[in-house]
Amino acid sequence: MARFLLRSAAMLGACLIATSAEAQVFTDNTIAIPTSGSANNSSTENVDFGDVDLDGDWDAVFADGGDAGNDQNRIWVNQGGLQAGTVGDFVDDTGARFPLIMQDGRDIEFVDFDSDGDLDLYSSNTSQLSNQSNRWWVNDGGLQGGTLGFYTDETAIRWVGIGNAQSSINPSQALGGGGFIDFSCDCDFGDLDNDGDMDLVHSSYGGIFGGQVPTRIFLNDGLGMFTEFNPGGGQLANQTITVGDAGIWCEGTQATDTNNSDGQFCDIASSALDIDIGDIDGDFDLDILHGSRQTVPRMFENRLEENGGDPLTDLIFRDVTGSAFVGTHSTGNGHYEQEMGDLDGDGDLDIYGLNWLAAFGFDDITMRGVGDGTFDQITTLGNSSTDDNEGDFLDYDLDGDLDLFVANFQGQDRLYRNENNGGATFSLVDVTSGNIPPYVSFSPTSLDADCCDVDNDGDYDVLVAADNGDRNVLLTNNTDPVSGMDNHAPYIPNVEQAPDRLPGPIPTVIRAQVYDNAPYYITWYNDVEIRYTVDGGPQQVVPMVSSGGQIFRGELPGNLDGTVCYMIAATDQYGQTGVSSQLCFGSAEFPSFCNGDGGNQLGCTDCPCGNNAPIGTTGGCLNSAGTAAKMAATGDPSASLPPGVATDLRLTVTGAPPGALCVMQSGDAVAPLNMANMCFGLNSGLQAGDRDGLRCIVMNSKRHGSRTANMLGSIADSAGPARVWGGEAQPNGGLWKQGGFLAGQTRFFQVTYRDLATAVCMRGLNTSQSVSVTFTP
């Protein structure tokens, strides 16, 4: 995130001196990093961590230039892993690994934009001094077939359709080398349309903070080619957007500083120096927290899920600034940055707003996320009224919650401890105790700070990016490497419920919120997976990948047939694993539209449709005997009665072919589908497989044993009480043993039977309809 020197840059004097080196939480480590020359005496606007060569340690990249003019972005390579040196020591390798391109660097982001498993780079630049584009640098490993960790500029080919008829960008703003004239200070990536690749949110501050150039969204085609998301198709007359123009990627028309939240108006052109993405309302798509230096920061709700979830047709955003924030969330001028994270451990995103209360100073605040897309409980951070530039979360004391490091533009950087008291509140850590070391002979113009465990000793270190030719600073965490290892597992508070479905080639997408006591850009690299079973079989695993924000995404095979139960497991770099609760869905070959009547303890739920079975027919599909198998439930559905009691629940079948083997199954629910399609479409592709009847039951389905129909095609009560549960046939001829159900629980029962005779429309298997049973105490 960039800071512009359009005001006085006078510093506030020397930093406070620590009382003792032994008391310091952090040490100013000048040995492990370059300390002079172009490697570390530039004007650095931003720093980002990532493993460029996939060797297990964190490398660092820097956006250089800013107001000092065009400069070269830099890379420091961690000397552990493939370098076979000391992990945590850095060497500048810019000359070998980066393209020699001079630019007015404001921001640099790691992202795997071509989905090949290695980290590419995107750099934000500004045309404040000269016209230039944001740039795409591809990692030469993976699809490129070259050397991991070395980069090639592909700006000319990665921008698609800039200035054409489908773009909001006027052709006069397009640049010959790719991209367009703009004033970008921060960009973010996330899977905005839930199609499995990373899209771009490209913010703009508008040139000298004009706030009239719109932020834009660019969608990834899956291979790293980016096209502007402009569903309305309108094009601006010039560089700026005016009141009344279409909102491009947002519902409604442009209206400056609007508080309208119903989609009639939006403001997508404020002086943004920082943006953040995350799921604020629990629907697993990514919303946008949009900073604004000179006006109130804004919130945009992703409406993908509300519109139906189709990535091709349903993506759009809504400006909900007026409804998202309770009370006055921002005042004055100088809102340089904000962050989202779960500060109170309740499983939703909270907000830290840097300089958000700037009317009478530069006070920082926190706000509690309610989880429904709204924020309340605005709290001012103590001793925060100096001119800060960037904040970053880390768990510096390894107590499991997110603390806060603040990079200060004009004075002492600060460290806040999370009180972890059920609210998003912080207490300033006294710098005189040595928690932040003095920067000896200077007070750096700190513009950014990123946090990660650079030396793999189990705690989180800080790298501070400095402007104005000051050196960048590595703060090494001194927590005891033996007793101080991070032992807090990630947590997964919310997992997407997959709907019941028919098996087929399209995968089942599962998303989850994953949190940890680490910066979000470190949590992105946790090992996250879906662990699933089908009908209680062996556990299987598929990987998940970060969608940006706190969201991870995975795909279950679409051809699963049965009750699929799944949970999410997330493992951090220290081997700590958190596991979510379990969810289930039905992926049955023939889910149907059966519904229990809900009013009776023993209610019949018909599956009336099938080959030759008209709407309203009671029972399953016609079979070789010319009948349709029908189930009935009688007796006492008490959950407490022992097996064999005469008034026990009885489940019977009539209308099955003589000698047919009948298998009882039950589930917690039935799967509704369109009746007309299921009734009349079975011979045109909906019925794939070998069953004529429609399998109704889904959710936690179980088998309860089998019996053979008598010569009358029935499994009757006369042989003894029909009892359910357990999966074994009883010696007295009863069907299915009762037991294991809970009072108030409703189960749906259905029989599948094998019919080997030849008949019109016969395909080997058939089903009865289903019956619902609500168990009593």
Side-chain angles (χ1 to χ4, degrees):
M1 195 275 293
R3 172 63 66 114
F4 293 87
L5 300 178
L6 300 179
R7 54 176 185 178
S8 171
M11 293 180 286
L12 300 182
C15 301
L16 297 174
I17 303 299
T19 55
S20 68
E22 290 74 24
Q24 289 179 354
V25 171
F26 293 104
T27 298
D28 181 3
N29 189 340
T30 59
I31 299 175
I33 62 174
T35 56
S36 62
S38 60
N40 195 6
N41 281 114
S42 180
S43 293
T44 301
E45 297 273 337
N46 181 258
V47 57
D48 201 11
F49 283 112
D51 186 0
V52 302
D53 48 7
L54 303 182
D55 66 347
D57 54 36
W58 298 103
D59 309 298
V61 293
F62 303 86
D64 282 4
D67 291 309
N70 292 329
D71 200 351
Q72 186 175 13
N73 290 342
R74 309 206 69 83
I75 180 170
W76 291 357
V77 177
N78 198 316
Q79 295 303 291
L82 291 175
Q83 280 58 242
T86 301
V87 64
D89 286 358
F90 292 89
V91 169
D92 183 280
D93 204 12
T94 303
R97 293 176 182 262
F98 272 8
L100 180 56
I101 296 175
M102 308 299 284
Q103 53 197 345
D104 187 357
R106 302 291 180 176
D107 180 45
I108 192 164
E109 297 284 342
F110 279 114
V111 58
D112 181 11
F113 58 67
D114 56 359
S115 303
D116 66 348
D118 55 34
L119 292 177
D120 310 301
L121 284 167
Y122 179 81
S123 62
S124 296
N125 305 304
T126 176
S127 297
Q128 189 73 36
L129 303 178
S130 61
N131 290 340
Q132 54 187 283
S133 172
N134 290 9
R135 307 199 72 89
W136 302 97
W137 289 0
V138 66
N139 195 318
D140 291 340
L143 291 174
Q144 282 62 47
T147 304
L148 271 170
F150 290 74
Y151 289 85
T152 299
D153 184 277
E154 293 190 350
T155 302
I157 66 171
R158 296 288 171 179
W159 295 112
V160 178
I162 299 296
N164 70 12
Q166 284 72 48
S167 172
S168 74
I169 301 167
N170 190 280
S172 66
Q173 304 301 301
L175 295 173
F180 56 101
I181 300 170
D182 196 67
F183 307 90
S184 180
C185 212
D186 182 56
C187 292
D188 246 336
F189 286 88
D191 186 3
L192 303 178
D193 52 4
N194 191 27
D195 66 350
D197 53 43
M198 299 297 277
D199 308 304
L200 168 66
V201 183
H202 172 106
S203 73
S204 178
Y205 62 87
I208 318 181
F209 309 111
Q212 296 174 326
V213 178
T215 287
R216 290 182 167 93
I217 288 175
F218 295 85
L219 299 182
N220 193 332
D221 70 347
L223 296 176
M225 303 298 177
F226 289 81
T227 303
E228 185 182 0
F229 174 60
N230 182 25
Q235 191 171 86
L236 301 184
N238 49 45
Q239 188 178 86
T240 62
I241 190 170
T242 61
V243 172
D245 284 344
I248 308 179
W249 48 272
C250 191
E251 292 178 340
T253 57
Q254 176 68 17
T256 304
D257 298 332
T258 180
N259 280 322
N260 175 267
S261 296
D262 63 10
Q264 185 178 359
F265 300 108
C266 61
D267 184 1
I268 64 169
S270 54
S271 49
L273 298 184
D274 183 67
I275 56 171
D276 301 88
I277 60 175
D279 175 19
I280 65 168
D281 50 7
D283 61 357
F284 302 101
D285 55 28
L286 294 170
D287 311 296
I288 301 172
L289 175 58
H290 191 283
S292 178
R293 179 189 185 269
Q294 313 205 166
T295 57
V296 297
R298 310 199 67 80
M299 185 69 77
F300 295 92
E301 177 194 42
N302 191 329
R303 302 284 294 173
L304 177 68
E305 293 307 310
E306 287 80 0
N307 292 336
D310 189 329
L312 297 177
T313 61
D314 294 334
L315 180 66
I316 197 69
F317 288 80
R318 176 178 293 180
D319 189 336
V320 294
T321 306
S323 60
F325 300 110
V326 177
T328 302
H329 69 283
S330 182
T331 61
N333 182 337
H335 321 127
Y336 286 98
E337 209 260 347
Q338 64 279 326
E339 295 287 338
M340 292 196 291
D342 185 8
L343 306 183
D344 51 10
D346 64 349
D348 55 43
L349 288 172
D350 309 300
I351 293 176
Y352 160 69
L354 180 146
N355 293 353
W356 272 26
L357 296 182
F360 304 102
F362 288 105
D363 286 331
D364 302 350
I365 65 168
T366 60
M367 284 189 293
R368 183 192 70 163
V370 179
D372 60 357
T374 63
F375 297 84
D376 63 10
Q377 295 187 8
I378 298 174
T379 303
T380 302
L381 271 66
N383 300 101
S384 66
S385 60
T386 57
D387 194 0
D388 300 324
N389 203 75
E390 200 268 347
D392 214 28
F393 297 129
L394 77 163
D395 184 7
Y396 83 89
D397 52 3
L398 302 183
D399 64 349
D401 54 32
L402 294 176
D403 308 305
L404 174 66
F405 186 94
V406 180
N408 188 276
F409 181 65
Q410 291 188 330
Q412 173 68 51
D413 295 343
R414 298 194 309 281
L415 182 66
Y416 286 89
R417 181 179 183 274
N418 192 330
E419 292 299 322
N420 198 15
N421 58 0
T425 58
F426 292 89
S427 294
L428 180 67
V429 178
D430 185 4
V431 71
T432 60
S433 69
N435 289 292
I436 302 178
Y439 296 131
V440 188
S441 60
F442 77 106
S443 177
T445 309
S446 301
L447 292 187
D448 188 30
D450 266 28
C451 310
C452 76
D453 184 5
V454 301
D455 48 10
N456 286 351
D457 66 347
D459 53 37
Y460 297 98
D461 313 297
V462 182
L463 187 53
V464 181
D467 196 12
N468 203 32
D470 294 333
R471 67 177 173 90
N472 300 327
V473 177
L474 175 62
L475 301 178
T476 301
N477 196 321
N478 296 320
T479 304
D480 183 354
V482 176
S483 62
M485 181 74 72
D486 180 2
N487 61 2
H488 298 277
Y491 57 104
I492 307 103
N494 297 300
V495 179
E496 185 172 23
Q497 173 65 64
D500 297 329
R501 56 162 295 171
L502 286 165
I506 300 175
T508 298
V509 173
I510 306 292
R511 291 171 293 180
Q513 297 177 353
V514 179
Y515 294 93
D516 204 356
N517 61 321
Y520 62 91
Y521 50 82
I522 300 302
T523 304
W524 287 346
Y525 303 109
N526 283 354
D527 182 10
V528 183
E529 61 189 20
I530 308 174
R531 300 175 178 177
Y532 72 95
T533 61
V534 181
D535 285 339
Q539 187 177 85
Q540 302 178 70
V541 172
V542 296
M544 304 184 79
V545 297
S546 172
S547 292
Q550 83 278 35
I551 301 299
F552 278 73
R553 181 184 189 275
E555 296 183 353
L556 293 177
N559 60 358
L560 303 178
D561 190 355
T563 298
V564 181
C565 293
Y566 60 95
M567 62 184 66
I568 310 301
T571 304
D572 65 19
Q573 67 183 94
Y574 308 111
Q576 306 294 332
T577 299
V579 181
S580 74
S581 57
Q582 179 175 275
L583 296 175
C584 300
F585 68 96
S587 182
E589 187 178 356
F590 299 103
S592 79
F593 47 83
C594 307
N595 292 285
D597 73 11
N600 302 317
Q601 294 174 2
L602 304 178
C604 182
T605 60
D606 290 339
C607 291
C609 298
N611 295 349
N612 299 330
I615 295 176
T617 299
T618 301
C621 300
L622 294 180
N623 53 43
S624 60
T627 58
K630 180 181 178 180
M631 285 193 64
T634 59
D636 186 352
S638 171
S640 60
L641 287 174
V645 175
T647 57
D648 220 0
L649 171 67
R650 297 167 180 254
L651 298 173
T652 61
V653 176
T654 58
L661 181 67
C662 298
V663 178
M664 172 68 76
Q665 294 175 287
S666 73
D668 283 340
V670 288
L673 290 179
N674 180 275
M675 180 178 292
N677 285 344
M678 292 308 296
C679 291
F680 305 112
L682 291 176
N683 291 324
S684 59
L686 278 177
Q687 180 166 321
D690 61 353
R691 185 180 297 156
D692 282 317
L694 310 178
R695 184 179 182 226
C696 297
I697 51 110
V698 294
M699 300 292 291
N700 298 320
S701 65
K702 297 181 182 296
R703 292 189 175 186
H704 304 298
S706 61
R707 285 290 305 275
T708 301
N710 62 24
M711 295 307 293
L712 298 177
S714 301
I715 302 176
D717 295 339
S718 57
R723 301 172 295 176
V724 297
W725 200 250
E728 71 255 30
Q730 299 300 302
N732 64 359
L735 286 181
W736 298 283
K737 179 182 175 183
Q738 185 173 341
F741 293 107
L742 301 176
Q745 181 181 10
T746 297
R747 289 288 282 185
F748 297 84
F749 295 88
Q750 186 178 25
V751 160
T752 297
Y753 60 93
R754 186 171 298 281
D755 187 351
L756 299 181
T758 301
V760 177
C761 300
M762 265 312 305
R763 306 186 71 168
L765 290 179
N766 210 327
T767 62
S768 70
Q769 96 296 4
S770 69
V771 295
S772 65
V773 177
T774 300
F775 289 88
T776 60

